[in-house]
Amino acid sequence: MRVLLIGPNGYLGRFVADRLLADPAVQLTALGRGDDADVRFDLASGSPGALTRFLDAVHPGVVINCAGTTRGGARDLTRHNTVAVATVCEALRRSRCGARLVQIGCAAEYGPSQPGSSTAEDAVPRPGGPYGVSKLAATELVLGSGLDAVVLRVFSPAGPGTPAGSPLGRLAEAMRRAMQTGDGELKLGGLGVQRDFIDVRDVARAVHAASLSAAQGVINIGSGRAVRLRDAAAVLARVAGYGGALHELDGPPPSLRSPLAHSLGHPASGGGAHGLGHPGGAGAHSAGHAALAHTVGHPRHDPDHPTPTAGPPSLPPAAYPYPDGCGSWQQADVRTARDRLGWRPRINLEESLADIWMEAACRI
């Protein structure tokens, strides 16, 4: 099977590439903005005609699009997340290759959801920010293209390679600095937010499964369980061997010995809430006590996920609002992925956090 992977150098793209290369039945061609791609092409500025000619020459059976950006203003987000996908869809329509399209979407397309609920694919999308809007527009372009296509709405990726600017990446970096300086107290903000974290390697498995399946439409990819950032922080502290106190800026200081933090086990296979992430208690998330993140989602700073050069200067971690526009709670209903892809998450959050810490610790 010939597969064209777009965005092979991004956070998700690298793991998808590794997964595909491990399949002896796959002949992989990588298309991206970086020098190490097999073919250099900028979806945001390249023409559909040029991409069509390349598709006709390579003749892939599957096209996987992992490219995009999470940062920038509305113009940049539209160019890299929406116009780029329009280029892919138009090129595939014109091409004689008849390839299947696997598009990587994101949970920010849904926007805020009711605490305690699981978001299924038939939920009405109400994105809470320009990033989610740009990704939702891309999804609608794919669904309306008439192509053999599926959109995987990935919730909050975690694990090795987690961007340093993501919530979990910033938690790990703050803990690394505290341990390096011998600081026995760590003050963090935004830890009441609950998100559905899914290991990036499980996401790559889902992409591989989608490329082999006949499933169409939208499919959620998540763990099926919401986890509070404060509980993830406590587990990260335990994994790292950090013995100091974690104090929350926007709520009561959580205990490092929280029984919830020790119950992080294998991911749930259904759509309901299990273990961590009980509804209620998170409250509205204020910008003044924001999460430790610039970004949520799959891309990070690399050629396939460009970051605009212009923008505000860097601020302390607690000054950033949680970026995905999804409010205090998100949890995926993952039954469709189980039923249509034969996919279930395998890697629990504690293992993902251990890998995040291992990379952070190497910077000490």
Side-chain angles (χ1 to χ4, degrees):
M1 178 177 66
R2 293 183 181 272
V3 176
L4 175 64
L5 174 61
I6 303 174
N9 295 319
Y11 176 32
L12 288 186
R14 290 195 301 278
F15 287 92
V16 171
D18 289 344
R19 178 75 186 185
L20 295 172
L21 288 170
D23 184 347
V26 170
Q27 294 178 306
L28 182 65
T29 301
L31 182 149
R33 293 161 51 93
D35 293 335
D36 54 349
D38 297 320
V39 178
R40 292 189 65 183
F41 190 85
D42 186 348
L43 292 177
S45 59
S47 71
L51 185 56
T52 299
R53 290 189 292 273
F54 174 73
L55 290 170
D56 287 340
V58 176
H59 213 78
V62 178
V63 174
I64 300 172
N65 183 23
C66 292
T69 187
T70 60
R71 299 183 63 188
R75 177 178 297 179
D76 293 299
L77 292 167
T78 300
R79 285 182 64 239
H80 294 290
N81 293 341
T82 309
V83 174
V85 173
T87 298
V88 173
C89 290
E90 181 60 25
L92 282 169
R93 278 195 297 264
R94 296 182 188 181
S95 173
R96 298 184 299 273
C97 70
R100 170 174 172 78
L101 174 61
V102 179
Q103 167 69 19
I104 306 303
C106 69
E109 298 174 40
Y110 287 121
S113 55
Q114 184 68 28
S117 67
S118 293
T119 302
E121 291 84 357
D122 59 358
V124 177
R126 294 186 176 87
Y131 171 63
V133 170
S134 69
K135 292 293 288 184
L136 176 60
T139 291
E140 294 299 332
L141 286 171
V142 171
L143 298 180
S145 66
L147 299 169
D148 174 13
V150 63
V151 178
L152 303 183
R153 276 191 179 143
V154 178
F155 277 62
S156 298
T162 291
S166 71
L168 295 180
R170 292 178 73 89
L171 281 171
E173 177 61 17
M175 205 162 291
R176 181 194 70 81
R177 291 180 178 178
M179 293 178 72
Q180 190 172 18
T181 60
D183 193 346
E185 183 179 73
L186 197 54
K187 295 182 179 179
L188 304 168
L191 299 186
V193 172
Q194 299 179 66
R195 288 293 180 269
D196 188 327
F197 295 106
I198 178 70
D199 193 273
V200 65
R201 292 158 292 192
D202 279 334
V203 175
R205 287 180 42 248
V207 173
H208 188 199
S211 71
L212 298 173
S213 79
Q216 297 185 340
V218 174
I219 300 178
N220 289 340
I221 303 298
S223 69
R225 180 173 68 175
V227 175
R228 289 186 202 274
L229 277 181
R230 72 167 65 100
D231 293 318
V235 173
L236 186 62
R238 176 161 54 85
V239 167
Y242 177 66
L246 299 184
H247 291 300
E248 192 171 351
L249 298 178
D250 55 353
S255 169
L256 278 175
R257 303 290 180 236
S258 168
L260 283 178
H262 288 273
S263 72
L264 276 170
H266 295 284
S269 59
H274 304 281
L276 289 174
H278 299 293
H285 183 60
S286 68
H289 295 130
L292 297 155
H294 307 226
T295 64
V296 168
H298 51 283
R300 70 172 178 179
H301 303 166
D302 54 58
D304 293 309
H305 300 97
T307 300
T309 55
S314 296
L315 299 174
Y320 285 99
Y322 207 88
D324 59 0
C326 295
S328 63
W329 170 279
Q330 261 203 337
Q331 178 173 277
D333 184 328
V334 295
R335 289 175 293 182
T336 300
R338 178 194 63 199
D339 296 341
R340 298 175 65 188
L341 300 181
W343 174 90
R344 296 173 185 264
R346 294 177 180 173
I347 301 173
N348 63 42
L349 183 55
E350 183 165 356
E351 183 175 343
S352 301
L353 291 169
D355 289 327
I356 292 172
W357 173 249
M358 183 68 68
E359 293 180 349
C362 288
R363 295 192 290 271
I364 292 181

